[in-house]
Amino acid sequence: MQQCSPSNPTKLERICREEWEKLLKYSYAKLVALYPRRLEAVIAAKVSVFLFYDRVHIITWNVGGAMPPDDITALLGLHVGDGNTDMYIIGLQEVNSMINKRLKDVLFTDQWSDACMERLSPFGYILVTSQRMQGVLLLVFAKYYHLPFIRGVQTETTRTGLGGYWGNKGGVSARMSVFGHTICFLNCHLPAHMENSEQRMEDFESILQQQQFEGQAATGVLDHDVVFWFGDLNFRIDELEIPAVKTAIDNNKLTMLWEKDQLNMAKDSETVLVGFLEGPLKFPPTYKFDVGTDTYDTSGKKRKPAWTDRILWRLRATAPFGQAPNAGKRGSVSGLSSGTKVTQHFYRSHMEYMVSDHKPVSSIFTLQFPYKVDMPLVTIMVEDEWNSIADAMCTFKAAPNFARSSWDWIGLYKVGFKHHKDYVGYVWAKQEEADYHRVTFTEEELPKGSGDFILCYYSNNTSTLVGVTEPFQIQLPTSSPAGSPSDDSSDFTSEDDSTVDGMKTKSRSPSPRKKKHRTRHSQSRSPSHSRSRSGSPALPEMKDLKLQPGLAHNTTDGSASGNAPEGTDREKVSAEAGNTGL
């Protein structure tokens, strides 16, 4: 959870202590939504500089074409988590991309994405975006109440296999603005084998050069405020022979191995690595193991153990080239003069997972920013309960600078959903010239039973959810005929070299019929009497932002489409086949 804290409490003497403590109980997202006037007053008085904290959990794993294990709870840290993780970033390599498996993935969710969504959705995380290039897969999840503040989502892919024609090697990335600060996540699978260290560096540099984003201040990967680079980077341990490496591992003399690590040594000589930081490698090499064991390779190949699976980060340089802050330093904390700071809390492997010849690696970071006031583009107001069909309405207000589309819609979601297509029902967002807009859900768009639900505003122009409410209850009379609800059975497809696109849902009615709501509610409830809702950290919920198709460049700044929300571009089946293993 994000927290807001004053940098200089002595300046708060003019503010009522009770009011201040009340503000500090909320996350940033909820604070700006529920208390904008109080927050504006604090800012106007220039009594404090707030700090925004974003906790990011990153995982990289070369799964070697294997199916997901039965339980990934420990990998995600859900068994020991304190609930304060804001985002999960999962980078996988060698996800099975044989032709027969890829054909299944076009029709259904790929099993790794599905496993992650199934496990994270009960904790309130939704899939923000996903990018797949053959076996290289990148998944970005966030708490649902952060969605209105995650904007400008774009993805890129770069093939480097077979001279750039094959996607078994290369990089996939996702960039976005989080509370006004730009972040880029880059998942790479670089060339294998001991002798290809220079080729790995060349491929990495090629990926950085080719991946350019449109319509943003940060056009290249390294232009972002923070960059996370991770994946099966395939760097090996030089000079030492296999017996010496295994002896060092057995005696926990990992420092000796780290000094001979190719990536670690390259940091002192490769210009492209300037500014990249990595925590100390205090865990044994994560490659190569006999599948199903903790035993290093006993096959005829007898690969030397190596730290192939890595997680690094970089802060945008504010100093002249070659003098980037903390360049060349090793440590878990880094920061810019502007106040941006990254703190690494741990960096570890997970030896208990044995489905692949690689062990997964994970790390948790806290990103600290001087926060920027960033109100949701759309604020939705809804009553605490819907006890009858006549209650099924809400009021929304759009920010003055928000460009609406005639294809925008408001979706009704059951708490625990996985992505933005997983709605129960939807209505088109009205386009009248007014400060406040009221929409009514028809009977057919409402659920049969009772439960906790959330309303979300979907922007067609940005292909993202730009407004959310807190959970509210729906308890309709059981005798009332109910419309056809949507099962939480929507799937999404992913294809080679394209962002995951269609989160195909079961057939729902096309454009909702515009029925008159009861005048009693229409006239008696004004926007000022409807309770404005923002995300509540206490109740989990899942949503997913729409992901756009494209061969190499994908952006959420899509143009308006004439389809109803469930309509998606037709998937094409790629004929690319197979992963090339290490």
Side-chain angles (χ1 to χ4, degrees), residues 165-213:
Y165 290 98
W166 196 244
N168 65 317
K169 295 292 191 297
V172 299
S173 64
R175 66 87 51 205
M176 60 205 67
S177 172
V178 180
F179 287 86
H181 301 273
T182 57
I183 305 177
C184 185
F185 302 100
L186 176 59
N187 174 27
C188 290
H189 192 185
L190 300 182
H193 307 307
M194 176 73 68
E195 65 275 13
N196 287 331
S197 181
E198 290 187 7
Q199 185 62 52
R200 286 186 275 274
M201 294 309 310
E202 290 177 6
D203 283 8
F204 177 52
E205 190 165 7
S206 176
I207 291 169
L208 294 180
Q209 290 174 350
Q210 293 186 49
Q211 297 206 354
Q212 299 293 317
F213 303 96

Side-chain angles (χ1 to χ4, degrees), residues 282-295:
K282 296 182 178 180
F283 50 88
T286 54
Y287 172 83
K288 175 181 182 175
F289 291 88
D290 292 338
V291 175
T293 74
D294 287 332
T295 304

Side-chain angles (χ1 to χ4, degrees), residues 357-375:
D357 56 358
H358 289 251
K359 301 297 182 183
V361 171
S362 68
S363 185
I364 287 183
F365 298 88
T366 293
L367 280 61
Q368 177 181 305
F369 300 113
Y371 88 92
K372 300 177 181 179
V373 176
D374 196 0
M375 297 296 293

